[in-house]
Amino acid sequence: MWHGLRHLLVPHGHEAADKVDGAMESSAEGMRTLWVSLAVLGLTAALQAAVAAWSGSVALLGDALHNAADALTSLPLALAFVLGRRAATRRFTYAFGRAEDLAGVV
């Protein structure tokens, strides 16, 4: 309800060109978040693997592998963020902004 009311009262536009700058900013913020996530998950997986090797816990080893796999899923997303910053070309006239959607499929 509040969103609909705000939408009516606040001046705004529906032009796609207005949203490009916001997409670039969110891409840069997304890259920072992505690298922090990759570092934290990688560190967690490494610590869990070390404790699993010391204790012999198979459950902890499984969780370490799970965290490592989660960390590796950020690599296609990083590639998508880099591709999303590219300008439009003759072949891709709407630029590469939807690369994130394809990374989600991967």
Side-chain angles (χ1 to χ4, degrees), residues 2 76 100-101:
W2 291 111
E100 293 175 36
D101 295 339

Side-chain angles (χ1 to χ4, degrees), residues 12-83:
H12 64 282
H14 293 271
E15 297 295 323
D18 296 340
K19 300 180 186 210
V20 172
D21 291 337
M24 293 298 179
E25 289 174 12
S26 67
S27 177
E29 184 179 337
M31 281 298 276
R32 280 191 303 274
T33 304
L34 185 82
W35 292 121
V36 168
S37 171
L38 179 64
V40 170
L41 280 170
L43 180 64
T44 302
L47 289 173
Q48 285 179 328
V51 172
W54 176 73
S55 68
S57 172
V58 177
L60 193 57
L61 179 61
D63 197 42
L65 291 173
H66 179 233
N67 281 332
D70 282 346
L72 290 177
T73 60
S74 63
L75 297 179
L77 188 56
L79 179 64
F81 279 138
V82 170
L83 281 175

